[in-house]
Amino acid sequence: MDAQGRGRENGIDPADQWVLNPQTGDYELRLNPSAEQSGVPGPRGGATGGGRRRQGGQRERREPQEQPDRPGGGRDVPSQRRRRDPQALTPDTGRRRSKPKKKSKAKKILLWTSGSMAFVVLAGAGAMYLYLEHLNGNITTQDVVGAKNGFSKDEAFNILVIGTDKRTGKGNEGYGDAGSTGHADTNVLLHVSKDRSNATALSIPRDLIVDVPDCQVKGEDGELKTIPGTDNDRFNTSLGVQGRDAGCTMKTIKEITGITVDHFMMADFNAVKTLSSAVGGVEVCVAHAVDDPKSHLKLPKGKSVVEGEQALAFVRTRHSFGNEGDLDRIKVQQQFLGSLARKMSSSDTLTSPSKLTGLAEAATKALTVDKGIGSLNKLKDVALELKKVPPKNLSFATVPVLDNPADGVVHKTVILNETAAPPIFDAIKDDVSLTQTKKQQKEKQKAADAAKLKGEKSAASDVRVDIYNGSDTIGAAQSTLTWLQTEEGVTKSSQLGNSPAKQTKTTLEYAPDQADQARRLADIMDLPGSALKPGKSRTNDQGLPAIVLTLGADFQGPGEPFSSAPDKAPDVDKTTADQAECAS
């Protein structure tokens, strides 16, 4: 029997058996009208539902009403009728039943808002993706020989920043020689330390006389072409002349300094204009009023804010400061770069969406980079690593030079100062800061290394050592073995050829119970405490425990003292990014 039949069997309209469940907010069909509907109120407010009271308190039973026939036969299904029109369920009473509870407006608004927010987030993510792709498209990349394939966030890195005097392209008309392909006009070798505590920006004069080496460039077809080098030429000819690319400039720096350049960034005149405008201007200072008809720079004495054409004029002028030479212009450029760095990292820039967007547009459009850092993500990684360096530890310096005696009376070019320059190159190669950062930590490490050398030492004849060659010196392990056995009495020694990888520093590994042997060998070889590396016990080819000596690039020969990195910065004329000096 269906619901209608079961309801009419007791003489009650099934429509009256639909009651509201307060827990769900929905109407439910109750098929036993005489039973208690515990806790579920009837549609008319009573506990049992059905009927109305007579005088005397008795309930009056209501006769079931016939339902009109539907056009297709049959009767309306109560559930359908009541859900469509709850008021129609009690026509005989003149009273309206309670309407089903609707979901609150707050809930509806919350659901609508959540859906809208999800849409906005997705749309925003899509828009951001498209914008990032747009910025990626702004970047110009160049495949050069010598650049690394990728960027490491865990190592020290060297980036060559090149400002070209390229006269072609929009916005570059009217500057110097028309049609110039661009030479290495402004050059800054940026070294960022491994621990990100410091960085050095070393300027290389464009008029430095050098031997430009042979280099290879990649043609449009991918084929390599060798461009012959030139002797006694200006450094700026390492780019542009005979088709030389930035890889040739990187190789020239390697020849001069011994420093390997990992990547390059190159920009033309427009970069200064667009970047300075993107951050809302850069503050500069001059010790005297400037009115230079050649660069069109006009500034009052003291501080000024420059951007666009005026910023470019500031970094280009060389007739307003010092001896009106390129070296004085380099100092002005360093002042500008330091001020630009401060402005880019200021809260005024970092909290302004419009400035950040403008800066991203300007930077990506201005740069040509090698493929190793030729994406927005890679450039972001470089920027974030550089941002870790405190401005007070970002040093600006210039390669020490002397006037070129070959010029005669009028000095137009310079040559390397062979006495003052090498210490700076060595400091960069050995990751030593020009600002003496972490001095206390270095002193602590020194004390710890010295402590390794203190204690009992075994007899030389009791030292059992395996020797590996991790240096570039051929036969270093064999010559050391011979010297130890014949001259120092270390008879239990053997050499096992080349180590799996090259090492910059010599190391001596030993187990805790071999410390006395390690101290004896360190004493014989005059090894620094930093070379001693406590570790696990290792055995030689006879199965006997042996300490392991691996010769590194600091090896100078058997019995010779080991070369060591400088423990203090070289004496060099420098400024730091947190300083604001006036050009004079």
Side-chain angles (χ1 to χ4, degrees):
M1 185 180 295
D2 62 10
Q4 284 183 326
R6 287 195 299 271
R8 292 200 178 276
E9 187 178 34
N10 295 315
I12 297 176
D13 188 343
D16 289 332
Q17 305 306 301
W18 286 84
V19 294
L20 178 68
N21 187 333
Q23 295 180 350
T24 64
D26 294 328
Y27 279 85
E28 298 177 357
L29 180 63
R30 304 288 181 177
L31 297 180
N32 188 0
S34 61
E36 288 292 332
Q37 307 294 325
S38 59
V40 182
R44 298 182 187 178
T48 59
R52 59 185 174 183
R53 293 191 181 278
R54 294 179 182 175
Q55 292 181 352
Q58 294 181 346
R59 289 190 180 275
E60 179 181 64
R61 213 31 107 170
R62 184 168 50 80
E63 291 297 323
Q65 297 182 4
E66 291 293 323
Q67 304 289 330
D69 289 341
R70 295 171 63 186
R75 299 185 183 277
D76 284 343
V77 178
S79 63
Q80 294 175 336
R81 188 173 73 250
R82 286 187 71 84
R83 290 187 180 185
R84 286 195 302 268
D85 187 4
Q87 294 184 13
L89 298 178
T90 57
D92 59 319
T93 65
R95 296 167 61 188
R96 292 186 179 181
R97 298 184 184 275
S98 299
K99 292 184 179 182
K101 289 185 180 179
K102 297 181 180 180
K103 292 181 179 178
S104 69
K105 287 185 178 180
K107 287 184 178 180
K108 286 184 177 180
I109 292 172
L110 180 60
L111 290 172
W112 184 88
T113 305
S114 298
S116 299
M117 285 301 294
F119 174 78
V120 169
V121 169
L122 289 174
M128 180 57 70
Y129 172 78
L130 292 176
Y131 183 64
L132 293 178
E133 286 299 298
H134 160 72
L135 291 178
N136 260 325
N138 286 346
I139 302 168
T140 301
T141 61
Q142 192 172 26
D143 191 6
V144 301
V145 175
K148 285 189 174 180
N149 291 329
F151 175 73
S152 173
K153 294 188 284 187
D154 301 318
E155 299 293 334
F157 60 90
N158 300 313
I159 295 181
L160 175 62
V161 182
I162 306 173
T164 74
D165 57 356
K166 182 179 179 182
R167 267 71 174 180
T168 58
K170 185 178 180 180
N172 286 329
E173 305 89 352
Y175 300 126
D177 301 327
S180 171
T181 56
H183 304 113
D185 190 59
T186 300
N187 309 277
V188 178
L189 177 59
L190 177 64
H191 169 78
V192 180
S193 69
K194 183 176 181 178
D195 62 4
R196 307 301 186 246
S197 67
N198 65 91
T200 299
L202 184 66
S203 293
I204 302 167
R206 67 173 190 176
D207 294 327
L208 177 65
I209 297 299
V210 298
D211 291 339
V212 179
D214 296 349
C215 63
Q216 290 185 311
V217 299
K218 290 186 178 180
E220 294 182 0
D221 56 359
E223 293 293 323
L224 289 175
K225 175 186 176 182
T226 299
I227 299 178
T230 52
D231 294 339
N232 295 315
D233 212 344
R234 279 181 166 88
F235 179 84
N236 68 343
T237 62
S238 63
L239 179 71
V241 175
Q242 301 181 54
R244 291 173 180 146
D245 62 14
C248 297
T249 309
M250 292 166 61
K251 188 174 181 181
T252 303
I253 287 180
K254 172 72 173 179
E255 292 291 319
I256 300 169
T257 67
I259 300 168
T260 300
V261 183
D262 303 314
H263 304 283
F264 81 88
M265 295 180 179
M266 184 164 57
D268 60 18
F269 289 139
N270 273 323
V272 175
K273 294 189 290 185
T274 56
L275 287 174
S276 60
S277 296
V279 297
V282 177
E283 185 179 90
V284 297
C285 182
V286 293
H288 55 80
V290 174
D291 187 358
D292 182 5
K294 293 189 176 181
S295 66
H296 308 293
L297 178 66
K298 290 185 179 182
L299 289 177
K301 178 182 178 180
K303 295 180 179 179
S304 299
V305 175
V306 297
E307 65 175 284
E309 293 287 351
Q310 195 177 30
L312 178 60
F314 182 79
V315 299
R316 290 189 66 233
T317 187
R318 60 175 176 172
H319 297 287
S320 302
F321 307 111
N323 295 321
E324 301 186 10
D326 188 50
L327 296 180
D328 294 299
R329 181 170 67 169
I330 286 176
K331 292 180 180 179
V332 173
Q333 292 170 347
Q334 290 173 348
Q335 180 203 138
F336 179 85
L337 290 174
S339 183
L340 177 62
R342 290 193 298 273
K343 189 64 179 288
M344 289 173 67
S345 61
S346 69
S347 58
D348 179 54
T349 300
L350 297 177
T351 58
S352 170
S354 61
K355 285 185 179 180
L356 286 175
T357 302
L359 191 57
E361 288 284 354
T364 52
K365 286 179 180 177
L367 292 177
T368 297
V369 300
D370 62 273
K371 288 194 171 182
I373 54 173
S375 70
L376 194 62
N377 277 335
K378 293 297 183 183
L379 289 175
K380 176 204 69 177
D381 288 343
V382 173
L384 290 177
E385 293 306 303
L386 182 57
K387 190 176 182 298
K388 295 176 182 178
V389 179
K392 65 179 181 179
N393 293 333
L394 171 54
S395 303
F396 290 95
T398 303
V399 172
V401 294
L402 300 170
D403 288 332
N404 186 5
D407 287 343
V409 178
V410 180
H411 298 294
K412 299 179 180 179
T413 60
V414 292
I415 59 174
L416 196 67
N417 185 328
E418 297 290 354
T419 301
I424 298 178
F425 301 156
D426 290 340
I428 292 176
K429 284 188 289 187
D430 293 322
D431 207 18
V432 174
S433 170
L434 297 186
T435 54
Q436 286 295 299
T437 60
K438 297 195 173 181
K439 186 175 181 180
Q440 291 181 344
Q441 290 90 329
K442 289 180 180 178
E443 291 299 324
K444 280 186 178 181
Q445 186 61 51
K446 244 177 165 181
D449 290 340
K452 296 177 186 177
L453 300 174
K454 295 179 180 179
E456 293 184 4
K457 300 179 180 69
S458 70
S461 59
D462 290 333
V463 174
R464 184 178 288 109
V465 58
D466 284 341
I467 307 168
Y468 290 88
N469 183 13
S471 73
D472 291 321
T473 304
I474 299 174
Q478 181 58 51
S479 62
T480 300
L481 173 69
T482 303
W483 174 72
L484 286 174
Q485 289 183 339
T486 60
E487 296 188 33
E488 299 297 332
V490 185
T491 55
K492 296 178 182 177
S493 53
S494 59
Q495 71 92 2
L496 301 179
N498 294 330
S499 65
K502 299 290 185 183
Q503 292 187 184
T504 55
K505 301 293 181 182
T506 297
T507 59
L508 180 57
E509 300 175 66
Y510 58 95
D513 60 350
Q514 298 170 317
D516 56 342
Q517 296 183 48
R519 285 191 286 266
R520 172 56 66 192
L521 188 61
D523 184 55
I524 292 171
M525 299 187 66
D526 198 21
L527 283 170
S530 58
L532 274 63
K533 307 293 181 185
K536 296 180 180 179
S537 179
R538 295 172 63 172
T539 56
N540 60 15
D541 54 4
Q542 297 176 338
L544 298 173
I547 60 178
V548 177
L549 174 68
T550 305
L551 302 172
D554 56 350
F555 174 75
Q556 301 294 306
E560 298 293 327
F562 287 82
S563 63
S564 58
D567 56 4
K568 67 176 183 177
D571 185 16
V572 59
D573 184 20
K574 64 180 183 296
T575 59
T576 53
D578 63 324
Q579 298 175 348
E581 296 185 355
C582 293
S584 59

